[in-house]
Every structure is written in structure tokens, then in C-alpha cells.
Amino acid sequence: MDHRELIGESIGTLLLNKMRTGLAMLGIVIGIGSVIALLSIGEASQKSITAQIQSLGANILTVSPGAERNGLVRGVSGGGTTLTYDDAMALSSDKTLTAIKTVLPIYNSRSQIVYSASNTNTQVYGITPEYLSARNIKVATGANFNQSDLNSITNVAIIGPTVLTSLWGDSAQDSDALGQNIRIGALNFTVIGVTETKGGGGGNNQDDLVYIPLSTAQKKLFGVKYLSSIIVETTGQDVMTQAMNQIGYTLLDRHHIKDVAKADFSIRNQQDMLNAVSSVTGTLTSLLSGVAAISLLVGGIGIMNIMLVTVTERTREIGLRKALGAKNRLIIIQFLMEAVMLTFIGGIIGILVGVIIAYIYAKSTSGLFIVSISAVFLAFFVSTIIGIVFGWYPAQKASRLQPIEALRYE
């Protein structure tokens, strides 16, 4: 019997009981599908976040309040309100800080946005007029607010495309929002601009933001005197360390802190953020893939049970084959082939299921759709190994049956 006959007979045998074959493959389908989907979604999320961080520029530093250790200093616990607008202005106006090019103070918080009968909940960024151009965010329709709006604490807002469609509908044009009043929290704001699409998935959607003057955010909307962060653009990537030192020691002096270890702020560069993102997403993907791998184990055990039942049902057939001269090796190959066919077909279906899940997730979150080729090859390899490992014992059991005893089996 050649390999084509073995494959044909294995497929024919599996098709004799379609329900049992389908149930046997279900665990493999779920396991492989989960692994493919999770690895694809994890890789897409990591690339999306990485692209957004890199789009900010290679010479960007983020100064944050608090205890996180990154770069020059480590803050104390509970220091989340320690950065102020005056701190940002001190960094911006000090001509001795030669490594600093642009300073962008920010206060951001979530808020409910309402227009007519529509509403959405998103991040509201209190910023200065320089923020949008420094972060390569363009106003597609309308205009940016100016220093006069900042000084006058004006209630004006620039919205992202996602906010536009959430409030005005999917078919809305940018011009539909210009000049209209929206309510942010308890205050009314006039929409003066809509930004161009930048993209991003899930909680990192840069189109799902509202920008208002920093003074309005602090003094009117949220009633705070501190900043969420200060973004600093350096004069070049080669002066990052120098800039971190200049920022750090300037803020230490302003906050009257002599011990660097007791600093109430932290400074991060882009590489720190990229490393943190890669570490977190990699760990989560590995953990989730490990959970999905458990279903592969369960699926493998299910296939072994099905094959053992098959051996019992086909005892007389095995006895007849051995009586006609079939060798143990042929019996083993036949049953292994059936087990591998189960896992192989289940693996293909699982890959398709995983790709479909990843595609649906990408579409629903406006994120990237990436199919991990390495994960696909891994799925084929794992499914084949499962078929061999969990099919070996039933195949061995079948080959060891004695012809006379097998023929007498009822």
C-alpha cells in the first residue's frame, strides 16, 4: 500500500463518522485559532503603538509627575500633581538650556462630549497652540486656536475625525461641525477645527481626541493647577542625555529638591517607551498564547481518546489485515496517518478561524491587520506534532493486537 492509498483510506475512514471526526478536531481548531488570533492581534497592537510613538519624533522627551523610574530621576509615590505650567515656562524661557527646542505643557483627562442627542466619551487634551504642529497633527478643516485664545481662556475646541463621526454620524463632513457648539463636561465649546486622520487602534486612536486651550482645561473645565505631562523636543537626537540632565536639574532646583533620588517627576525618552511597550505586549501575548496552548493539549487528548475508540471498533479489521500479512509497521503508519490528518485538517481550519478573528478585531478597532507568518508555520508544525504524539499510543496498541484474538473480537 503506497502513501496515496494510505491518505485516501485515512480520509475515507474519517468521513465514515463525520460527527465524531468534527468533535475530535474541535479542540485543535480552537487551540490553533486562538494562537493565530492572539499572536496576530498582539503583533498588530505592538506595531501600531510603536508607530505612534515613533511618529512623535526620535528627539522627544516626556516629563511625567510621579514615582516611575525612567532616565535621570525617580519620583516619590503620590507625586502625580507636581508638574505645573510655570515649570514648563521655566524650561521654555531658560536660554541656558541649549539642548531644548520646544516645550509643550499638557493636561488631559476623559470627559463626556455631547452634541444634540449624540454623545461620546473620550480624552480631552488641554494644550498650547504649538502642540499640534510640534506633534505633526494637521487641522484638515478650520483653524488652530492661538495665543489669544489661551490668554483669554476661550471655550474653543478642535476635534478628531472619530469624534466627528460619533457626534454627527458616519456620513458627516468636516464642515458640519465647524461653528457648532458641543458640550464637554458642563461647559459649551465652539468647534473651530477638525484634524486630519492619523489612525491608531483601540485606546490609542489619535483620531478620537478633543483639543482645547490648556488654560481653559485647567481653570474652567477640570479645575486643576497641575499638568499631566510636559513634552520636550530636543535640538537633536545626539543631545538627549544632555537635555535630560538640563531638564532634571532645572526641575529639581524649582521644586527645592537636593536629593535626586527624591525627585517628584520622571523623564522618559522614546526608546524607554518603545522598550516598555515591547516588554508589556510581548509578556501579555506570551501569557495568552500559553492559555491557548492548553486547549491544544486538551484537543490532543481528545484525539487520542477518539483514536483509541477507533482501534476498539476496528479490531476485527486489524486482525484480518494482519492475518493477510500486514506488518506492524503498516498498521502503525495507517493509524498515525489518520491522527495526523485529523490534526492537520483541524490546524488548517484553526488558522482560517484565527485569521478571520484577527481581521474582525482589526476592522472593529480601526487597527492594523497583520497575519504572523511565523505563527502560521508554527501552527502547522504543532498540529502535525500533536497528531504524531497523541496518535502514537493508539497506533502502537493497534499494531500489537494478535490476529487470532482480533478476529474473535465481538
Side-chain angles (χ1 to χ4, degrees):
M1 182 179 292
D2 59 23
H3 290 90
R4 284 180 297 180
E5 290 179 350
L6 276 173
I7 293 173
E9 186 171 337
S10 297
I11 294 175
T13 302
L14 295 176
L15 291 176
L16 286 176
N17 196 325
K18 297 182 182 65
M19 178 65 74
R20 187 167 66 189
T21 299
L23 291 174
M25 289 192 299
L26 186 60
I28 301 298
V29 171
I30 293 173
I32 294 293
S34 300
V35 171
I36 294 293
L38 289 171
L39 290 178
S40 297
I41 291 171
E43 186 175 342
S45 299
Q46 183 173 340
K47 286 189 176 181
S48 177
I49 297 171
T50 299
Q52 289 176 45
I53 293 173
Q54 290 175 336
S55 69
L56 304 180
N59 57 333
I60 295 294
L61 296 173
T62 302
V63 186
S64 304
E68 184 179 5
R69 184 178 182 87
N70 276 304
L72 174 67
V73 292
R74 180 182 64 189
V76 296
S77 178
T81 62
T82 55
L83 293 180
T84 65
Y85 182 73
D86 289 338
D87 288 333
M89 291 302 97
L91 294 174
S92 178
S93 60
D94 192 340
K95 301 303 181 183
T96 64
L97 307 182
T98 56
I100 294 177
K101 180 181 178 182
T102 308
V103 178
L104 305 170
I106 301 168
Y107 181 81
N108 66 283
S109 182
R110 295 196 73 87
S111 185
Q112 197 75 10
I113 318 296
V114 179
Y115 173 75
S116 186
S118 303
N119 70 89
T120 184
N121 188 284
T122 190
Q123 285 281 346
V124 177
Y125 272 62
I127 57 173
T128 55
E130 302 80 14
Y131 179 89
L132 295 183
S133 59
R135 302 302 288 268
N136 196 29
I137 300 170
K138 298 179 180 178
V139 178
T141 305
N144 190 7
F145 52 80
N146 53 39
Q147 190 63 38
S148 176
D149 293 315
L150 193 71
N151 296 337
S152 304
I153 318 178
T154 309
N155 288 18
V156 291
I158 300 170
I159 64 175
T162 301
V163 178
L164 174 71
T165 56
S166 296
L167 297 180
W168 277 271
D170 293 337
S171 60
Q173 302 295 317
D174 291 355
S175 57
D176 295 339
L178 293 184
Q180 299 296 320
N181 287 329
I182 60 174
R183 192 171 76 248
I184 305 176
L187 300 179
N188 288 325
F189 285 75
T190 301
V191 178
I192 61 171
V194 180
T195 62
E196 288 186 354
T197 299
K198 286 184 72 71
N204 301 295
N205 191 346
Q206 297 184 68
D207 297 336
D208 192 19
L209 298 174
V210 175
Y211 304 98
I212 64 175
L214 176 61
S215 57
T216 308
Q218 287 186 306
K219 297 178 181 180
K220 280 188 177 181
L221 184 59
F222 299 111
V224 298
K225 297 182 178 180
Y226 55 89
L227 299 175
S228 301
S229 62
I230 300 173
I231 303 297
V232 178
E233 183 182 4
T234 67
T235 56
Q237 196 171 1
D238 56 333
V239 296
M240 296 289 279
T241 302
Q242 180 185 353
M244 292 175 75
N245 286 329
Q246 290 179 353
I247 295 167
Y249 289 115
T250 298
L251 293 179
L252 286 172
D253 183 60
R254 284 187 52 79
H255 295 183
H256 308 291
I257 298 173
K258 295 182 179 180
D259 187 355
V260 174
K262 295 181 180 179
D264 55 2
F265 59 92
S266 59
I267 305 173
R268 295 175 294 169
N269 60 34
Q270 298 294 73
Q271 193 57 50
D272 290 333
M273 298 172 69
L274 288 172
N275 292 340
V277 167
S278 297
S279 176
V280 171
T281 55
T283 300
L284 288 176
T285 302
S286 297
L287 288 173
L288 292 173
S289 297
V291 173
I294 294 175
S295 62
L296 283 175
L297 178 63
V298 174
I301 294 173
I303 285 177
M304 183 170 66
N305 288 336
I306 292 296
M307 294 306 298
L308 286 172
V309 171
T310 301
V311 170
T312 301
E313 290 180 346
R314 295 165 62 188
T315 299
R316 289 177 62 82
E317 175 194 334
I318 295 168
L320 182 60
R321 285 177 178 272
K322 298 193 75 172
L324 294 174
K327 298 188 178 188
N328 290 350
R329 178 174 173 274
L330 182 62
I331 301 297
I332 291 175
I333 291 175
Q334 181 182 350
F335 280 89
L336 274 180
M337 183 69 72
E338 293 178 17
V340 169
M341 289 296 294
L342 272 174
T343 55
F344 186 76
I345 296 171
I348 292 175
I349 297 173
I351 290 170
L352 293 175
V353 169
V355 169
I356 291 171
I357 292 173
Y359 178 79
I360 293 173
Y361 178 84
K363 285 296 182 182
S364 63
T365 60
S366 301
L368 296 176
F369 171 59
I370 296 175
V371 176
S372 175
I373 302 300
S374 59
V376 171
F377 283 113
L378 178 64
F380 275 115
F381 175 76
V382 169
S383 61
T384 302
I385 292 299
I386 288 175
I388 294 173
V389 171
F390 289 95
W392 181 257
Y393 175 69
Q396 283 279 22
K397 182 178 179 181
S399 68
R400 289 172 182 168
L401 290 173
Q402 297 298 319
I404 295 177
E405 295 178 1
L407 288 169
R408 289 176 177 173
Y409 181 82
E410 293 294 337

